Amino acid sequence: MSKVPPTDRVAIWNAFFRLAWSEAKAVFESVHGCSVDEQFSAGSTPTLPEDEFHVLAAVVACNLAIEARANHLLDELVENGTISEDVATAARWLPTKHKWFLLPTLAGKSVTLDSATGPHQAVVQLCTLRNDFLHVNYAAMKPRLQDRGAIISYFRRFVEAMEDMNVVLGRNKVPNPDVVRKGDFQCS
């Protein structure tokens, strides 16, 4: 049983619903070439504050990005003849964190990524959050929704990890500074 008050659970549920609604609305507008004026409202039921909503959305999106990046790199390893499709298929079923850290080994590299420090630690941190967020563990989620600084840091470090992975796998000699800058937000 969750130790989170029902109003907090409803607010979190509504945030997931709002995220799905806003993306479905964007698809509808694209298909129909129009703009929908309606804004999301949960009526009298509670919703997350705007900053917490964006933390939730960032954690979900970051985890999908990690999964997509790892699977893309697996596909490249198949295309390059480094691994078989059977090995790639088996690796795709691994938990995202394990898949990420297995990539250098699958690519035949002797480099071991450090999950306790450096940029790759962010992958571990985001995957840990993923488990609580996507399995909707209300008690674990609620305090993390208020930790905006951590989410910004995790994203920045994930971008660095992504570019470091390119170097480890021999895709690039050095991290692409244009990509690394994507994780370093600056006020204008």
Side-chain angles (χ1 to χ4, degrees), residues 19-84:
L19 183 59
W21 178 88
S22 65
E23 294 309 308
K25 175 183 174 232
V27 171
F28 177 88
E29 290 172 336
S30 172
V31 167
H32 295 282
C34 67
S35 179
V36 175
D37 292 333
E38 184 177 351
Q39 298 299 312
F40 183 84
S41 172
S44 63
T45 60
T47 60
L48 287 176
E50 199 68 13
D51 57 343
E52 291 182 11
F53 170 77
H54 290 296
V55 168
L56 180 140
V59 168
V60 171
C62 282
N63 275 280
L64 289 173
I66 294 167
E67 182 77 19
R69 186 67 180 163
N71 286 347
H72 166 69
L73 294 172
L74 286 170
D75 287 345
E76 276 192 357
L77 292 175
V78 171
E79 292 163 1
N80 296 340
T82 306
I83 61 173
S84 70

Side-chain angles (χ1 to χ4, degrees), residues 29-177:
E29 290 172 336
S30 172
V31 167
H32 295 282
C34 67
S35 179
V36 175
D37 292 333
E38 184 177 351
Q39 298 299 312
F40 183 84
S41 172
S44 63
T45 60
T47 60
L48 287 176
E50 199 68 13
D51 57 343
E52 291 182 11
F53 170 77
H54 290 296
V55 168
L56 180 140
V59 168
V60 171
C62 282
N63 275 280
L64 289 173
I66 294 167
E67 182 77 19
R69 186 67 180 163
N71 286 347
H72 166 69
L73 294 172
L74 286 170
D75 287 345
E76 276 192 357
L77 292 175
V78 171
E79 292 163 1
N80 296 340
T82 306
I83 61 173
S84 70
E85 181 59 45
D86 287 340
V87 169
T89 298
R92 281 186 202 97
W93 285 100
L94 292 172
T96 305
K97 176 178 74 173
H98 299 303
K99 183 183 339 184
W100 183 267
F101 286 94
L102 187 61
L103 280 165
T105 302
L106 291 173
K109 307 298 180 183
S110 60
V111 175
T112 302
L113 304 176
D114 187 357
S115 65
T117 63
H120 298 280
Q121 182 182 31
V123 171
V124 173
Q125 292 162 322
L126 284 163
C127 288
T128 299
L129 286 175
R130 173 231 174 262
N131 292 337
D132 289 336
F133 278 49
L134 293 184
H135 293 289
V136 194
N137 179 341
Y138 292 107
M141 283 178 70
K142 186 60 180 157
R144 299 309 299 263
L145 288 169
Q146 297 164 9
D147 199 357
R148 295 173 291 173
I151 299 307
I152 294 165
S153 175
Y154 296 163
F155 176 75
R156 179 179 46 80
R157 300 297 280 168
F158 160 62
V159 174
E160 292 170 5
M162 184 176 64
E163 280 305 298
D164 184 65
M165 182 68 82
N166 284 338
V167 174
V168 167
L169 296 182
R171 299 175 84 241
N172 295 337
K173 293 200 185 302
V174 296
N176 181 334

